[in-house]
Amino acid sequence: MALIHFEVRGLRNLTTASFSPSPSITLLFGPNGSGKTTVLEGVYLLGMARSFRTQQTRKLIQYGMTVATVFGRVDTGHAQYGLGVQKQNGDVTLIRVNGERQETASVLAGLLPLQLITPESHTLLKGEPRERRSYMDWGLFHVEHEFLDLWKRYRRYLEQRNAALRGRVHAGEMSHWEQGLADCGEALAAMRERYIQEISPLFAKIFTVLLEEEAPRLIYRRGWPKDHALIEVLERNRASERVSGYTMAGPHRADLRLVTAEGLDAADSFSRGQQKLAVCALRLAQMQYLQNVAGRRCTLLLDDLPAELDQRRRHLLMQSVASSGAQCLVTATDRNLLDLSPWNEAAVFHVEHGVVTEVV
Ligand SMILES: Nc1ncnc2c1ncn2[C@@H]1O[C@H](COP(=O)(O)OP(=O)(O)OP(=O)(O)O)[C@@H](O)[C@H]1O
Ligand SMILES: [Mg+2]
């Protein structure tokens, strides 16, 4: 899969811009404030129907305009699809595939699997467990057909049990919600555990190439104590959770930790640059895995790659990206900061004052 054409209107400082990315690597370079991150934000909007910088639509829409629109053409290797996403102040997000209105963004994600690495990406290690759960779930969404349905059912049971804990649902129904929650929860946890086991060797290999040191282990925590069935824990916690009104055990509390050979958590012991590279290794491992098991290529958005990486790490990272086989869109303030030699079909664009121009 590859994004072969992209157009944007009314997104931040991009009044109108269109360009055709390379199926391999596309470099967007230009001065600060020129619109490079906005281009990546636009591509992200096309695959996810939301921004990675804000949840507020009005911040995305160009000052003085009422809508922001992105279009793209994706080549899956078997067929081409036209994708479109429109954001309008105070209104629903319009999603179209081949001109047909879509109700959910998951169809976009299926056609344009995206990975994003920004200067803030180290927060995957340091930030809330929610970020690491969505990391795991991105992988499962793309490789396990039942995942999305299972996850939705789990959320419904969780809401019902929480409502029952707060006395809003007849207490006699509690065991029904608990059983459903436990069944879906066990299945989800098993899927995540298997996924982490599968990507661990890929992660270790990429990490060792990038950092030239031993990789930390990926430790998956499923969200309730070992050696206990989820149903047992739910029943045991019922009385105390009536006070909090919230279910404290289950996959919605899962986490993923990176632990070094010395037993230290990478989030506390790694430098910022190391954390960033560890996150790159995590994301590249997912992309590699998706390619291995489903033969699907991802599009990797790499914003401001050089920030905080020394020249050698930049070189090693670019090599790893090239060998991952992903389509890559990368931004930098200076064209010469990145070595594009590992790729044969590089495309280069200059971005200035919201105008994207191909450089030959
Ligand atoms: N809603 C908006 N309407 C118009 N312009 C906006 C809007 N929001 C932000 N901008 C402007 O868009 C410009 C592009 O920002 P962007 O973050 O894409 O720049 P960049 O090229 O990534 O810069 P840097 O190298 O500093 O990361 C900025 O100058 C910003 O002030
Ligand atoms: Mg930027």
Side-chain angles (χ1 to χ4, degrees):
M1 301 193 170
L3 179 67
I4 54 172
H5 187 72
F6 179 69
E7 285 178 43
V8 46
R9 285 187 213 143
L11 184 71
R12 299 192 192 268
N13 71 333
L14 303 176
T15 309
T16 61
S18 74
F19 69 98
S20 298
S22 160
S24 63
I25 191 153
T26 302
L27 168 66
L28 297 140
F29 75 98
N32 294 131
S34 58
K36 304 177 298 295
T37 302
T38 308
V39 172
L40 299 193
E41 195 175 25
V43 175
Y44 192 88
L45 196 57
L46 190 67
M48 305 291 283
R50 61 184 166 83
S51 162
F52 57 83
R53 290 205 281 193
T54 179
Q55 295 186 351
Q56 291 171 281
T57 298
R58 70 177 170 81
K59 292 194 175 161
L60 286 177
I61 299 173
Q62 188 164 82
Y63 307 136
M65 306 271 283
T66 53
V67 291
T69 317
V70 287
F71 303 99
R73 185 147 281 279
V74 168
D75 190 340
T76 64
H78 306 288
Q80 290 195 1
Y81 294 86
L83 275 49
V85 174
Q86 188 170 69
K87 290 268 181 193
Q88 192 161 355
N89 248 337
D91 207 344
V92 290
T93 301
L94 283 181
I95 301 172
R96 285 205 166 82
V97 173
N98 287 345
E100 269 179 42
R101 180 89 186 264
Q102 307 291 321
E103 292 308 316
T104 64
S106 56
V107 58
L108 297 174
L111 288 168
L112 184 60
L114 288 177
Q115 282 283 0
L116 171 74
I117 298 174
T118 73
E120 287 78 44
S121 280
H122 59 277
T123 63
L124 181 63
L125 297 196
K126 287 216 89 83
E128 296 293 312
R130 188 186 320 119
E131 290 190 48
R132 292 178 291 281
R133 288 194 291 272
S134 52
Y135 166 80
M136 295 188 268
D137 294 345
W138 182 95
L140 290 173
F141 169 81
H142 286 287
V143 295
E144 297 275 1
H145 294 304
E146 323 87 88
F147 170 75
L148 191 58
D149 179 56
L150 189 60
W151 180 241
K152 285 182 184 164
R153 280 194 289 137
Y154 179 79
R155 294 298 316 181
R156 269 200 304 275
Y157 282 124
L158 184 62
E159 277 166 27
Q160 293 295 342
R161 183 178 187 266
N162 287 343
L165 287 171
R166 292 169 200 153
R168 295 202 196 118
V169 176
H170 190 265
E173 291 175 13
M174 181 67 101
S175 53
H176 170 73
W177 306 126
E178 280 177 355
Q179 194 58 56
L181 190 66
D183 292 346
C184 293
E186 296 276 2
L188 273 175
M191 264 187 196
R192 281 177 173 162
E193 184 168 13
R194 202 166 51 237
Y195 182 70
I196 294 304
Q197 269 170 11
E198 304 260 329
I199 63 163
S200 282
L202 298 171
F203 164 75
K205 200 167 159 201
I206 299 166
F207 182 98
T208 313
V209 169
L210 291 181
L211 285 112
E212 299 171 298
E213 59 181 84
E214 194 183 337
R217 280 177 309 133
L218 302 184
I219 307 287
Y220 164 63
R221 295 190 189 141
R222 62 182 182 166
W224 72 94
K226 273 191 199 136
D227 308 324
H228 291 275
L230 182 53
I231 188 72
E232 263 176 60
V233 179
L234 292 172
E235 285 171 0
R236 196 180 58 212
N237 290 355
R238 201 187 280 172
S240 61
E241 288 175 353
R242 278 193 201 284
V243 179
S244 63
Y246 186 73
T247 303
M248 299 298 284
H252 62 292
R253 307 277 297 189
D255 201 356
L256 176 68
R257 308 303 312 177
L258 275 64
V259 178
T260 66
E262 296 77 38
L264 299 171
D265 194 312
D268 304 319
S269 60
F270 277 10
S271 75
R272 189 92 88 91
Q274 285 174 313
Q275 285 176 26
K276 203 169 188 178
L277 288 161
V279 171
C280 291
L282 281 170
R283 302 232 174 258
L284 287 169
Q286 289 204 300
M287 297 194 301
Q288 191 82 68
Y289 184 68
L290 182 57
Q291 178 128 354
N292 294 353
V293 300
R296 299 175 68 202
R297 288 177 76 213
C298 289
T299 298
L300 170 65
L301 308 176
L302 261 175
D303 193 28
D304 208 1
L305 171 71
E308 283 173 312
L309 297 186
D310 61 53
Q311 201 182 350
R312 178 158 174 76
R313 304 301 133 191
R314 286 206 297 269
H315 174 70
L316 291 171
L317 179 56
M318 290 310 265
Q319 271 189 332
S320 294
V321 171
S323 55
S324 77
Q327 178 183 33
C328 181
L329 275 74
V330 57
T331 70
T333 47
D334 186 340
R335 182 181 183 172
N336 302 318
L337 280 169
L338 297 175
D339 173 16
L340 302 181
S341 61
W343 285 273
N344 357 347
E345 291 177 89
V348 180
F349 295 91
H350 183 232
V351 186
E352 190 143 23
H353 301 304
V355 177
V356 180
T357 319
E358 183 153 22
V359 179
V360 268

Short mmCIF file of all heavy atoms in Angstrom, two decimals, residues 124-174:
data_model
loop_
_atom_site.label_atom_id
_atom_site.label_comp_id
_atom_site.label_asym_id
_atom_site.label_seq_id
_atom_site.Cartn_x
_atom_site.Cartn_y
_atom_site.Cartn_z
N LEU A 124 5.58 7.95 24.39
CA LEU A 124 5.04 6.57 24.38
C LEU A 124 5.62 5.79 25.57
O LEU A 124 4.93 4.98 26.18
CB LEU A 124 5.39 5.87 23.06
CG LEU A 124 4.88 4.43 22.92
CD1 LEU A 124 3.36 4.36 22.95
CD2 LEU A 124 5.39 3.79 21.64
N LEU A 125 6.88 6.06 25.90
CA LEU A 125 7.48 5.37 27.05
C LEU A 125 7.11 6.05 28.36
O LEU A 125 6.83 5.39 29.35
CB LEU A 125 9.01 5.35 26.95
CG LEU A 125 9.65 4.63 25.78
CD1 LEU A 125 11.11 4.39 26.06
CD2 LEU A 125 8.98 3.29 25.55
N LYS A 126 7.14 7.37 28.37
CA LYS A 126 7.00 8.11 29.63
C LYS A 126 5.56 8.42 29.99
O LYS A 126 5.24 8.65 31.14
CB LYS A 126 7.74 9.46 29.50
CG LYS A 126 9.22 9.34 29.53
CD LYS A 126 9.89 10.47 30.23
CE LYS A 126 10.15 10.48 31.65
NZ LYS A 126 11.19 9.91 32.31
N GLY A 127 4.71 8.46 28.96
CA GLY A 127 3.35 8.96 29.18
C GLY A 127 2.42 7.93 29.79
O GLY A 127 2.84 6.93 30.36
N GLU A 128 1.15 8.20 29.65
CA GLU A 128 0.11 7.37 30.25
C GLU A 128 0.08 5.97 29.62
O GLU A 128 0.33 5.84 28.43
CB GLU A 128 -1.26 8.02 29.98
CG GLU A 128 -1.46 9.35 30.62
CD GLU A 128 -1.51 9.23 32.13
OE1 GLU A 128 -2.23 8.35 32.62
OE2 GLU A 128 -0.79 10.00 32.80
N PRO A 129 -0.29 4.94 30.41
CA PRO A 129 -0.42 3.59 29.86
C PRO A 129 -1.36 3.54 28.65
O PRO A 129 -1.21 2.70 27.78
CB PRO A 129 -1.01 2.78 31.02
CG PRO A 129 -0.66 3.54 32.25
CD PRO A 129 -0.57 4.98 31.85
N ARG A 130 -2.32 4.47 28.61
CA ARG A 130 -3.27 4.50 27.49
C ARG A 130 -2.53 4.53 26.14
O ARG A 130 -2.93 3.90 25.19
CB ARG A 130 -4.16 5.74 27.63
CG ARG A 130 -5.30 5.77 26.65
CD ARG A 130 -6.09 7.07 26.68
NE ARG A 130 -6.28 7.61 28.02
CZ ARG A 130 -5.83 8.80 28.41
NH1 ARG A 130 -5.19 9.58 27.57
NH2 ARG A 130 -6.04 9.22 29.64
N GLU A 131 -1.43 5.30 26.10
CA GLU A 131 -0.68 5.40 24.84
C GLU A 131 -0.09 4.05 24.45
O GLU A 131 -0.03 3.71 23.27
CB GLU A 131 0.48 6.40 24.99
CG GLU A 131 0.03 7.83 25.10
CD GLU A 131 1.21 8.79 25.00
OE1 GLU A 131 2.04 8.63 24.08
OE2 GLU A 131 1.31 9.66 25.87
N ARG A 132 0.38 3.30 25.46
CA ARG A 132 0.99 1.99 25.14
C ARG A 132 -0.10 0.97 24.80
O ARG A 132 0.13 0.07 24.00
CB ARG A 132 1.89 1.54 26.30
CG ARG A 132 3.13 2.43 26.41
CD ARG A 132 4.02 2.06 27.55
NE ARG A 132 3.46 2.32 28.87
CZ ARG A 132 3.42 3.52 29.45
NH1 ARG A 132 3.93 4.58 28.84
NH2 ARG A 132 2.89 3.69 30.65
N ARG A 133 -1.26 1.13 25.39
CA ARG A 133 -2.36 0.23 24.98
C ARG A 133 -2.73 0.53 23.53
O ARG A 133 -2.95 -0.39 22.74
CB ARG A 133 -3.59 0.43 25.89
CG ARG A 133 -3.40 -0.14 27.27
CD ARG A 133 -4.71 -0.24 28.02
NE ARG A 133 -5.28 1.06 28.38
CZ ARG A 133 -5.01 1.72 29.49
NH1 ARG A 133 -4.17 1.21 30.38
NH2 ARG A 133 -5.57 2.88 29.74
N SER A 134 -2.77 1.81 23.17
CA SER A 134 -3.15 2.04 21.77
C SER A 134 -2.05 1.61 20.82
O SER A 134 -2.34 1.22 19.69
CB SER A 134 -3.67 3.46 21.50
OG SER A 134 -2.78 4.37 21.95
N TYR A 135 -0.81 1.63 21.29
CA TYR A 135 0.29 1.06 20.48
C TYR A 135 -0.01 -0.42 20.18
O TYR A 135 0.03 -0.87 19.05
CB TYR A 135 1.62 1.21 21.23
CG TYR A 135 2.73 0.37 20.64
CD1 TYR A 135 3.41 0.80 19.52
CD2 TYR A 135 3.07 -0.87 21.19
CE1 TYR A 135 4.42 0.02 18.95
CE2 TYR A 135 4.06 -1.66 20.63
CZ TYR A 135 4.73 -1.21 19.51
OH TYR A 135 5.70 -1.99 18.94
N MET A 136 -0.31 -1.18 21.23
CA MET A 136 -0.57 -2.62 21.05
C MET A 136 -1.80 -2.82 20.17
O MET A 136 -1.83 -3.69 19.29
CB MET A 136 -0.81 -3.30 22.40
CG MET A 136 0.40 -3.30 23.32
SD MET A 136 0.16 -4.32 24.80
CE MET A 136 -0.47 -3.13 25.97
N ASP A 137 -2.81 -1.98 20.39
CA ASP A 137 -4.08 -2.19 19.69
C ASP A 137 -4.00 -1.80 18.22
O ASP A 137 -4.72 -2.35 17.40
CB ASP A 137 -5.21 -1.45 20.42
CG ASP A 137 -5.44 -2.06 21.79
OD1 ASP A 137 -4.95 -3.19 22.01
OD2 ASP A 137 -6.09 -1.43 22.64
N TRP A 138 -3.11 -0.88 17.89
CA TRP A 138 -2.88 -0.56 16.47
C TRP A 138 -2.46 -1.85 15.76
O TRP A 138 -2.98 -2.19 14.70
CB TRP A 138 -1.77 0.50 16.34
CG TRP A 138 -1.50 0.91 14.93
CD1 TRP A 138 -2.02 1.99 14.28
CD2 TRP A 138 -0.63 0.25 13.97
NE1 TRP A 138 -1.55 2.04 12.98
CE2 TRP A 138 -0.69 0.98 12.77
CE3 TRP A 138 0.18 -0.88 14.02
CZ2 TRP A 138 0.02 0.63 11.62
CZ3 TRP A 138 0.88 -1.23 12.88
CH2 TRP A 138 0.81 -0.49 11.70
N GLY A 139 -1.52 -2.56 16.38
CA GLY A 139 -1.02 -3.79 15.79
C GLY A 139 -2.11 -4.83 15.66
O GLY A 139 -2.28 -5.45 14.60
N LEU A 140 -2.91 -4.98 16.72
CA LEU A 140 -3.96 -6.00 16.69
C LEU A 140 -5.05 -5.65 15.68
O LEU A 140 -5.56 -6.52 14.98
CB LEU A 140 -4.56 -6.18 18.09
CG LEU A 140 -3.59 -6.84 19.07
CD1 LEU A 140 -4.16 -6.84 20.47
CD2 LEU A 140 -3.28 -8.26 18.63
N PHE A 141 -5.38 -4.38 15.61
CA PHE A 141 -6.40 -3.94 14.65
C PHE A 141 -6.02 -4.40 13.24
O PHE A 141 -6.86 -4.86 12.47
CB PHE A 141 -6.54 -2.42 14.69
CG PHE A 141 -7.37 -1.84 13.57
CD1 PHE A 141 -8.76 -1.86 13.63
CD2 PHE A 141 -6.77 -1.30 12.44
CE1 PHE A 141 -9.53 -1.36 12.59
CE2 PHE A 141 -7.52 -0.80 11.39
CZ PHE A 141 -8.91 -0.82 11.47
N HIS A 142 -4.73 -4.29 12.92
CA HIS A 142 -4.31 -4.60 11.55
C HIS A 142 -4.06 -6.09 11.30
O HIS A 142 -4.04 -6.50 10.15
CB HIS A 142 -3.06 -3.79 11.18
CG HIS A 142 -3.36 -2.34 10.94
ND1 HIS A 142 -4.01 -1.91 9.81
CD2 HIS A 142 -3.14 -1.24 11.69
CE1 HIS A 142 -4.17 -0.60 9.87
NE2 HIS A 142 -3.65 -0.17 11.00
N VAL A 143 -3.84 -6.87 12.36
CA VAL A 143 -3.54 -8.28 12.08
C VAL A 143 -4.59 -9.27 12.57
O VAL A 143 -4.61 -10.41 12.12
CB VAL A 143 -2.13 -8.72 12.60
CG1 VAL A 143 -1.03 -7.98 11.87
CG2 VAL A 143 -2.00 -8.56 14.09
N GLU A 144 -5.44 -8.85 13.51
CA GLU A 144 -6.45 -9.78 14.05
C GLU A 144 -7.84 -9.32 13.62
O GLU A 144 -8.31 -8.27 14.07
CB GLU A 144 -6.41 -9.81 15.59
CG GLU A 144 -5.11 -10.32 16.18
CD GLU A 144 -5.06 -11.84 16.28
OE1 GLU A 144 -6.04 -12.51 15.87
OE2 GLU A 144 -4.04 -12.34 16.77
N HIS A 145 -8.50 -10.11 12.80
CA HIS A 145 -9.80 -9.68 12.28
C HIS A 145 -10.84 -9.45 13.37
O HIS A 145 -11.66 -8.57 13.28
CB HIS A 145 -10.35 -10.70 11.28
CG HIS A 145 -9.50 -10.79 10.06
ND1 HIS A 145 -9.22 -9.70 9.28
CD2 HIS A 145 -8.84 -11.84 9.51
CE1 HIS A 145 -8.43 -10.06 8.30
NE2 HIS A 145 -8.17 -11.34 8.41
N GLU A 146 -10.76 -10.29 14.43
CA GLU A 146 -11.82 -10.20 15.46
C GLU A 146 -11.56 -9.08 16.45
O GLU A 146 -12.40 -8.79 17.29
CB GLU A 146 -11.95 -11.49 16.29
CG GLU A 146 -11.76 -12.80 15.57
CD GLU A 146 -10.30 -13.18 15.56
OE1 GLU A 146 -9.85 -13.82 16.50
OE2 GLU A 146 -9.58 -12.81 14.59
N PHE A 147 -10.37 -8.47 16.38
CA PHE A 147 -9.99 -7.55 17.45
C PHE A 147 -11.00 -6.42 17.67
O PHE A 147 -11.45 -6.17 18.79
CB PHE A 147 -8.59 -6.96 17.20
CG PHE A 147 -8.28 -5.84 18.14
CD1 PHE A 147 -7.96 -6.12 19.46
CD2 PHE A 147 -8.38 -4.52 17.74
CE1 PHE A 147 -7.72 -5.08 20.36
CE2 PHE A 147 -8.15 -3.49 18.63
CZ PHE A 147 -7.81 -3.77 19.94
N LEU A 148 -11.36 -5.71 16.59
CA LEU A 148 -12.17 -4.51 16.75
C LEU A 148 -13.53 -4.84 17.37
O LEU A 148 -13.99 -4.18 18.31
CB LEU A 148 -12.36 -3.82 15.39
CG LEU A 148 -12.96 -2.43 15.43
CD1 LEU A 148 -12.13 -1.47 16.27
CD2 LEU A 148 -13.11 -1.87 14.00
N ASP A 149 -14.14 -5.93 16.91
CA ASP A 149 -15.43 -6.33 17.42
C ASP A 149 -15.32 -6.74 18.90
O ASP A 149 -16.14 -6.35 19.74
CB ASP A 149 -15.95 -7.50 16.57
CG ASP A 149 -17.28 -7.97 17.05
OD1 ASP A 149 -18.19 -7.12 17.13
OD2 ASP A 149 -17.42 -9.17 17.38
N LEU A 150 -14.27 -7.48 19.21
CA LEU A 150 -14.04 -7.93 20.58
C LEU A 150 -13.86 -6.72 21.51
O LEU A 150 -14.41 -6.65 22.60
CB LEU A 150 -12.79 -8.82 20.60
CG LEU A 150 -12.48 -9.58 21.86
CD1 LEU A 150 -13.61 -10.51 22.24
CD2 LEU A 150 -11.18 -10.38 21.68
N TRP A 151 -13.07 -5.77 21.02
CA TRP A 151 -12.78 -4.58 21.82
C TRP A 151 -14.06 -3.76 22.06
O TRP A 151 -14.31 -3.31 23.18
CB TRP A 151 -11.72 -3.73 21.10
CG TRP A 151 -11.35 -2.49 21.83
CD1 TRP A 151 -11.49 -1.21 21.41
CD2 TRP A 151 -10.80 -2.40 23.16
NE1 TRP A 151 -11.06 -0.33 22.37
CE2 TRP A 151 -10.65 -1.03 23.46
CE3 TRP A 151 -10.45 -3.34 24.13
CZ2 TRP A 151 -10.13 -0.59 24.67
CZ3 TRP A 151 -9.94 -2.88 25.35
CH2 TRP A 151 -9.78 -1.53 25.60
N LYS A 152 -14.92 -3.65 21.05
CA LYS A 152 -16.18 -2.92 21.22
C LYS A 152 -17.09 -3.62 22.22
O LYS A 152 -17.73 -2.99 23.06
CB LYS A 152 -16.90 -2.79 19.87
CG LYS A 152 -16.26 -1.77 18.95
CD LYS A 152 -17.07 -1.70 17.67
CE LYS A 152 -16.43 -0.76 16.67
NZ LYS A 152 -16.97 -0.97 15.33
N ARG A 153 -17.12 -4.96 22.12
CA ARG A 153 -17.97 -5.70 23.07
C ARG A 153 -17.44 -5.52 24.48
O ARG A 153 -18.19 -5.34 25.44
CB ARG A 153 -18.02 -7.19 22.70
CG ARG A 153 -19.00 -7.44 21.55
CD ARG A 153 -19.31 -8.89 21.39
NE ARG A 153 -18.17 -9.60 20.85
CZ ARG A 153 -17.74 -10.77 21.26
NH1 ARG A 153 -18.35 -11.40 22.24
NH2 ARG A 153 -16.68 -11.34 20.70
N TYR A 154 -16.12 -5.58 24.60
CA TYR A 154 -15.51 -5.40 25.93
C TYR A 154 -15.91 -4.05 26.52
O TYR A 154 -16.28 -3.95 27.68
CB TYR A 154 -13.98 -5.52 25.82
CG TYR A 154 -13.31 -5.33 27.16
CD1 TYR A 154 -13.27 -6.35 28.10
CD2 TYR A 154 -12.76 -4.09 27.50
CE1 TYR A 154 -12.69 -6.15 29.35
CE2 TYR A 154 -12.19 -3.89 28.74
CZ TYR A 154 -12.15 -4.93 29.66
OH TYR A 154 -11.60 -4.73 30.90
N ARG A 155 -15.82 -2.98 25.70
CA ARG A 155 -16.15 -1.62 26.17
C ARG A 155 -17.61 -1.56 26.62
O ARG A 155 -17.93 -0.91 27.62
CB ARG A 155 -15.94 -0.58 25.06
CG ARG A 155 -14.54 -0.36 24.59
CD ARG A 155 -13.57 0.14 25.62
NE ARG A 155 -14.04 1.20 26.47
CZ ARG A 155 -13.30 1.77 27.43
NH1 ARG A 155 -12.05 1.39 27.64
NH2 ARG A 155 -13.79 2.72 28.17
N ARG A 156 -18.48 -2.24 25.88
CA ARG A 156 -19.91 -2.22 26.25
C ARG A 156 -20.14 -2.91 27.59
O ARG A 156 -20.83 -2.38 28.46
CB ARG A 156 -20.76 -2.90 25.18
CG ARG A 156 -21.26 -1.94 24.11
CD ARG A 156 -22.47 -2.50 23.37
NE ARG A 156 -22.21 -3.79 22.76
CZ ARG A 156 -21.66 -3.94 21.56
NH1 ARG A 156 -21.31 -2.89 20.85
NH2 ARG A 156 -21.45 -5.13 21.05
N TYR A 157 -19.50 -4.08 27.76
CA TYR A 157 -19.65 -4.78 29.05
C TYR A 157 -19.08 -3.94 30.19
O TYR A 157 -19.63 -3.89 31.29
CB TYR A 157 -18.93 -6.14 29.01
CG TYR A 157 -19.70 -7.22 28.28
CD1 TYR A 157 -19.14 -7.90 27.21
CD2 TYR A 157 -20.98 -7.59 28.70
CE1 TYR A 157 -19.83 -8.90 26.55
CE2 TYR A 157 -21.68 -8.59 28.05
CZ TYR A 157 -21.11 -9.23 26.98
OH TYR A 157 -21.80 -10.23 26.34
N LEU A 158 -17.98 -3.27 29.91
CA LEU A 158 -17.34 -2.45 30.94
C LEU A 158 -18.27 -1.30 31.36
O LEU A 158 -18.46 -1.03 32.55
CB LEU A 158 -16.01 -1.90 30.39
CG LEU A 158 -15.15 -1.10 31.36
CD1 LEU A 158 -14.72 -1.95 32.55
CD2 LEU A 158 -13.91 -0.54 30.65
N GLU A 159 -18.86 -0.65 30.37
CA GLU A 159 -19.79 0.44 30.69
C GLU A 159 -20.97 -0.07 31.51
O GLU A 159 -21.40 0.56 32.48
CB GLU A 159 -20.33 1.08 29.41
CG GLU A 159 -19.40 2.10 28.83
CD GLU A 159 -19.77 2.46 27.40
OE1 GLU A 159 -20.96 2.34 27.03
OE2 GLU A 159 -18.85 2.83 26.65
N GLN A 160 -21.48 -1.25 31.12
CA GLN A 160 -22.62 -1.81 31.84
C GLN A 160 -22.24 -2.18 33.26
O GLN A 160 -22.99 -1.94 34.20
CB GLN A 160 -23.15 -3.05 31.12
CG GLN A 160 -23.76 -2.78 29.77
CD GLN A 160 -25.02 -1.92 29.86
OE1 GLN A 160 -25.62 -1.80 30.92
NE2 GLN A 160 -25.40 -1.31 28.76
N ARG A 161 -21.07 -2.78 33.43
CA ARG A 161 -20.68 -3.16 34.79
C ARG A 161 -20.46 -1.91 35.64
O ARG A 161 -20.87 -1.86 36.80
CB ARG A 161 -19.41 -4.01 34.79
CG ARG A 161 -19.05 -4.47 36.22
CD ARG A 161 -17.84 -5.36 36.26
NE ARG A 161 -17.61 -5.91 37.59
CZ ARG A 161 -16.81 -5.35 38.50
NH1 ARG A 161 -16.17 -4.23 38.22
NH2 ARG A 161 -16.66 -5.90 39.70
N ASN A 162 -19.83 -0.87 35.06
CA ASN A 162 -19.63 0.37 35.82
C ASN A 162 -20.97 0.98 36.21
O ASN A 162 -21.14 1.47 37.32
CB ASN A 162 -18.79 1.36 35.02
CG ASN A 162 -17.32 0.95 34.97
OD1 ASN A 162 -16.87 0.13 35.76
ND2 ASN A 162 -16.58 1.52 34.03
N ALA A 163 -21.93 0.93 35.28
CA ALA A 163 -23.26 1.47 35.58
C ALA A 163 -23.91 0.65 36.70
O ALA A 163 -24.54 1.20 37.62
CB ALA A 163 -24.13 1.44 34.33
N ALA A 164 -23.70 -0.68 36.66
CA ALA A 164 -24.26 -1.54 37.70
C ALA A 164 -23.61 -1.24 39.06
O ALA A 164 -24.28 -1.19 40.09
CB ALA A 164 -24.07 -3.01 37.32
N LEU A 165 -22.30 -0.99 39.04
CA LEU A 165 -21.59 -0.67 40.29
C LEU A 165 -22.17 0.60 40.91
O LEU A 165 -22.25 0.74 42.12
CB LEU A 165 -20.10 -0.44 40.02
CG LEU A 165 -19.23 -1.65 39.71
CD1 LEU A 165 -17.84 -1.21 39.27
CD2 LEU A 165 -19.12 -2.58 40.91
N ARG A 166 -22.56 1.54 40.06
CA ARG A 166 -23.09 2.82 40.55
C ARG A 166 -24.58 2.74 40.83
O ARG A 166 -25.23 3.76 41.08
CB ARG A 166 -22.83 3.92 39.52
CG ARG A 166 -21.35 4.24 39.41
CD ARG A 166 -21.05 5.12 38.23
NE ARG A 166 -19.64 5.00 37.89
CZ ARG A 166 -19.13 5.20 36.68
NH1 ARG A 166 -19.92 5.51 35.68
NH2 ARG A 166 -17.84 5.08 36.47
N GLY A 167 -25.12 1.51 40.70
CA GLY A 167 -26.53 1.30 41.05
C GLY A 167 -27.50 1.75 39.98
O GLY A 167 -28.68 1.89 40.21
N ARG A 168 -26.98 1.99 38.77
CA ARG A 168 -27.87 2.48 37.71
C ARG A 168 -28.52 1.34 36.93
O ARG A 168 -29.39 1.56 36.13
CB ARG A 168 -27.10 3.38 36.75
CG ARG A 168 -26.62 4.63 37.43
CD ARG A 168 -26.36 5.72 36.41
NE ARG A 168 -25.56 6.74 37.06
CZ ARG A 168 -24.35 7.08 36.67
NH1 ARG A 168 -23.81 6.51 35.64
NH2 ARG A 168 -23.68 7.99 37.33
N VAL A 169 -28.00 0.15 37.14
CA VAL A 169 -28.57 -1.02 36.44
C VAL A 169 -28.93 -2.01 37.54
O VAL A 169 -28.29 -2.04 38.59
CB VAL A 169 -27.51 -1.62 35.48
CG1 VAL A 169 -28.03 -2.87 34.81
CG2 VAL A 169 -27.10 -0.60 34.43
N HIS A 170 -29.95 -2.80 37.30
CA HIS A 170 -30.40 -3.76 38.31
C HIS A 170 -29.25 -4.66 38.75
O HIS A 170 -28.54 -5.23 37.91
CB HIS A 170 -31.54 -4.61 37.71
CG HIS A 170 -32.20 -5.44 38.74
ND1 HIS A 170 -31.85 -6.75 38.97
CD2 HIS A 170 -33.18 -5.13 39.63
CE1 HIS A 170 -32.59 -7.22 39.96
NE2 HIS A 170 -33.41 -6.26 40.36
N ALA A 171 -29.02 -4.75 40.06
CA ALA A 171 -27.86 -5.47 40.58
C ALA A 171 -27.84 -6.94 40.17
O ALA A 171 -26.78 -7.54 40.02
CB ALA A 171 -27.81 -5.34 42.10
N GLY A 172 -29.03 -7.49 39.94
CA GLY A 172 -29.12 -8.90 39.54
C GLY A 172 -28.45 -9.16 38.20
O GLY A 172 -28.08 -10.29 37.89
N GLU A 173 -28.27 -8.09 37.43
CA GLU A 173 -27.65 -8.27 36.12
C GLU A 173 -26.13 -8.23 36.20
O GLU A 173 -25.44 -8.48 35.22
CB GLU A 173 -28.12 -7.16 35.16
CG GLU A 173 -29.58 -7.29 34.79
CD GLU A 173 -30.07 -6.14 33.94
OE1 GLU A 173 -29.23 -5.37 33.44
OE2 GLU A 173 -31.29 -6.01 33.81
N MET A 174 -25.61 -7.93 37.39
CA MET A 174 -24.17 -7.76 37.54
C MET A 174 -23.38 -8.97 37.05
O MET A 174 -22.41 -8.83 36.32
CB MET A 174 -23.85 -7.49 39.02
CG MET A 174 -22.41 -7.27 39.31
SD MET A 174 -21.83 -5.75 38.56
CE MET A 174 -21.85 -4.68 39.99
#
